[in-house]
Amino acid sequence: MPRPRKPASPFRYFNSSPEVIRLVVLMYVRFPLSLRNVEDLLFERGIDICHETVRLWWNRFGPLFAGEVRRQRVSRMRGFRHWRWHLDEMYVKLNGEMVYLWRAVDHEGEVLESYVTKTRDKKAALAFMKKALKRHGSPEAITTDGLRSYGAALTELGSREKQEVGRLANNRVENSHLPFRRRERAMLRFRQMRTLQKFASVHANVHNHFNHERHLVDRQTYKQRRSAALAEWQALVS
């Protein structure tokens, strides 16, 4: 019986080591650094690469790493049905035009889904919810703001009874916008919807992976979680 073929390494056409590539993607996506900031910081470590190489690597490997992180988390959490989702949309400027970034956050503050549209009507809300429900399953409750598009979309999905609307009930997702806003300013905004969609998805999964809730645990527990997350990151696509 022939042996199953081992999948080809995604790093096979690159001269740099996988460790360096993972470090570059981590620095650029996780921290509010520009391409040239990453280039200068790596040069201090003795790694001489161009800022365009940083751009190439995050575009090539960012979605790959983020997809692996998301698959591991979804496989662990899909069986839980006590989830409470928080949905909200935020404005993002794209070449002087406002577009909408829809985001779903769970009760622990981790970003489940990101979806970019030009409108925020029922059609956009429905497409966003179908994408989130297909990937993560059905939650126990869905908290939204007063936007009527949510109610119309949930009615069509047959889940209107799960909707909860409150003035301060959606602070969980409002606070989750802040890390993305900080990263957006460092990038000097976006120019294409495709780039915005890709970066929002990658940034959300990387942020989830390294979100250890340090304000809720003692220092020793935080250090253990941080070390475990970094070890898992270094083993991605190995």
Side-chain angles (χ1 to χ4, degrees):
M1 183 176 178
R3 294 182 179 179
R5 295 183 60 183
K6 184 179 180 180
S9 171
F11 307 105
R12 63 189 182 278
Y13 297 126
F14 294 83
N15 294 327
S16 298
S17 67
E19 291 75 17
V20 172
I21 295 177
R22 292 191 193 98
L23 175 62
V24 168
V25 175
L26 174 62
M27 293 176 65
Y28 182 68
V29 176
R30 184 184 178 192
F31 303 107
L33 301 171
S34 67
L35 297 169
R36 289 171 175 80
N37 290 153
V38 176
E39 177 186 357
D40 293 341
L41 289 172
L42 290 172
F43 182 74
E44 292 181 2
R45 298 187 176 198
I47 304 173
D48 186 13
I49 62 172
C50 174
H51 68 277
E52 288 298 336
T53 303
V54 179
R55 188 198 308 274
L56 170 65
W57 285 353
W58 99 255
N59 270 288
R60 176 73 176 267
F61 294 100
L64 181 66
F65 297 156
E68 185 65 26
V69 170
R70 182 178 58 243
R71 279 190 294 273
Q72 292 178 6
R73 186 176 188 278
V74 169
S75 64
R76 291 194 298 263
M77 299 297 294
R78 191 175 178 84
F80 292 88
R81 289 295 178 266
H82 62 275
W83 278 6
R84 176 183 296 274
W85 288 7
H86 299 262
L87 309 184
D88 193 30
E89 73 288 342
M90 57 188 293
Y91 297 94
V92 180
K93 185 171 287 189
L94 204 70
N95 288 330
E97 178 184 358
M98 289 295 185
V99 297
Y100 302 94
L101 176 60
W102 303 75
R103 302 172 83 242
V105 175
D106 69 6
H107 60 280
E108 295 179 343
E110 296 199 358
V111 184
L112 301 174
E113 203 63 58
S114 302
Y115 188 64
V116 182
T117 64
K118 289 187 176 181
T119 60
R120 59 171 184 168
D121 52 10
K122 173 188 171 183
K123 181 179 179 181
L126 188 60
F128 165 60
M129 290 183 186
K130 284 183 177 179
K131 182 180 179 182
L133 291 169
K134 180 179 180 180
R135 179 169 289 166
H136 300 281
S138 180
E140 186 177 88
I142 300 177
T143 304
T144 69
D145 56 19
L147 183 67
R148 288 183 292 178
S149 300
Y150 290 118
L154 287 170
T155 299
E156 184 161 332
L157 292 171
S159 301
R160 185 61 184 268
E161 71 281 355
K162 294 183 178 181
Q163 185 182 19
E164 297 179 0
V165 181
R167 182 179 180 185
L168 302 178
N170 225 20
N171 283 350
R172 173 73 72 178
V173 67
E174 294 287 351
N175 292 332
S176 74
H177 295 331
L178 299 179
F180 182 82
R181 285 297 189 196
R182 288 193 292 267
R183 195 64 194 80
E184 178 192 15
R185 287 193 293 271
M187 295 184 69
L188 301 179
R189 307 225 172 134
F190 298 90
R191 293 171 177 80
Q192 296 180 350
M193 287 187 63
R194 179 178 58 184
T195 304
L196 172 58
Q197 177 67 69
K198 177 190 287 189
F199 190 85
S201 299
V202 173
H203 179 269
N205 286 284
V206 174
H207 176 74
N208 290 344
H209 186 69
F210 290 98
N211 181 23
H212 311 304
E213 298 181 330
R214 65 170 71 190
H215 60 292
L216 299 177
V217 298
D218 59 85
R219 177 68 178 175
Q220 188 62 32
T221 303
Y222 166 69
K223 290 170 64 176
Q224 292 173 356
R225 292 181 178 180
R226 182 176 61 182
S227 298
L230 186 59
E232 290 180 10
W233 176 267
Q234 292 171 346
L236 287 177
V237 202
S238 58

